Structure formats: structure tokens, C-alpha cells
Amino acid sequence: MATEKQSFKVFSYRGHNLESLIKMDNEELKGLFTSTLRRRMNKGTPRKYKTLIAKLEKKKKEAPYGEKPEVVKTHLRNCIIVPQMVGCVAGVYTGRDFVTVEIKPEMIGMKLSDFALTYKPVKHGKPGIGATSSSKFVPLK
């Protein structure tokens, strides 16, 4: 019985690894994104998004090796996740509280709002009291 090494899946986004994505400038990166994100990046990156990325990178550098960086709270739900943000932790505002989102390589090209729901998903189960006219006859136990 031969011993086999477990191989780990190497991350790639549209044929590029993470290191090459980080080195790319916005023009090259824009070509890899979907059309909606390309149109948005054509308008330029506003200063508030640049400051968010700068804060995330600063917290990532300050964090000790092997530990997660501190959470950076933000209301910018529509911020596009770029490769420079990978490894950071963002607190995304949902309208009521901040949801902690750890940014991973698989999230590149999505928005922060995709990972912080603003509503609680419905769990369908037994009807409560007063839900329908027939629920009057549900025994109370």
C-alpha cells in the first residue's frame, strides 16, 4: 500500500492564482470581472472604498502571525471584494448590527452585502396561535 500525499486545491480565479491577482492593477483586474462590476469600476473607485481597503490592509499587517486581524466596521455593503482584501475581517452593517465577514479568496468579485443578510430567513413549521383561522383548534400544550 503506497502512501499518498494529500494534495490541496490551489485557488485560481479565471485562470490566475492569488499572488498574480494581487499584483494586477485595476485595469487588468477589471477585465476578469463580470460586466456589472466592470461597468461600476469604469466609473472609478471612490475615496471611501480606497480608505476601507487601506484600513483592512493596515489591520492585516498589524495582526500577529497566525492570528486573524481585528474587525474593521463598515456601512459600505456594495463594496466589491478585490484581492487586496483577502485575509481581512470586515464588520458589515445590516441595518441593525454588524455581521463579521472573514474575506476568503473565493469571495473575489462579489460584494460585501452577499455575505451579510439583512433579513432572517423564514423557517416554515407549525402555525402559531392566530396564524390562520384553523390554528384556533391547535391544542395548547
Side-chain angles (χ1 to χ4, degrees):
M1 190 168 163
T3 58
E4 293 182 24
K5 275 191 170 181
Q6 184 179 359
S7 62
F8 294 100
K9 184 180 176 191
V10 178
F11 170 77
S12 68
Y13 180 79
R14 311 244 171 150
H16 299 276
N17 62 359
L18 186 60
E19 290 79 29
S20 64
L21 286 171
I22 291 173
K23 291 176 186 174
M24 284 185 184
D25 62 335
N26 278 351
E27 290 299 317
E28 292 175 308
L29 196 61
K30 185 170 56 175
L32 299 176
F33 286 160
T34 58
S35 60
T36 308
L37 299 178
R38 271 199 310 270
R39 286 187 202 105
R40 186 143 163 244
M41 289 180 81
N42 274 338
K43 296 176 182 176
T45 307
R47 188 168 71 181
K48 55 186 175 180
Y49 298 115
K50 290 178 184 175
T51 54
L52 174 64
I53 293 169
K55 284 180 184 179
L56 288 169
E57 287 179 336
K58 181 183 175 191
K59 294 286 184 182
K60 188 164 64 169
K61 286 179 186 173
E62 289 175 355
Y65 180 76
E67 291 187 22
K68 290 183 185 177
E70 283 186 46
V71 177
V72 177
K73 292 184 177 182
T74 182
H75 284 240
L76 302 174
R77 295 176 52 80
N78 60 349
C79 183
I80 299 168
I81 297 175
V82 292
Q84 290 82 6
M85 297 166 73
V86 171
C88 300
V89 181
V92 185
Y93 193 63
T94 61
R96 187 179 64 193
D97 54 357
F98 289 91
V99 176
T100 304
V101 177
E102 185 180 346
I103 300 169
K104 297 181 175 140
E106 292 81 21
M107 298 178 179
I108 293 174
M110 298 183 184
K111 296 181 180 180
L112 287 174
S113 61
D114 296 339
F115 306 101
L117 294 177
T118 57
Y119 62 93
K120 185 178 178 182
V122 178
K123 295 179 182 173
H124 297 282
K126 294 181 181 177
I129 299 170
T132 61
S133 59
S134 64
S135 66
K136 286 187 261 187
F137 305 107
V138 175
L140 298 172
K141 286 189 179 179

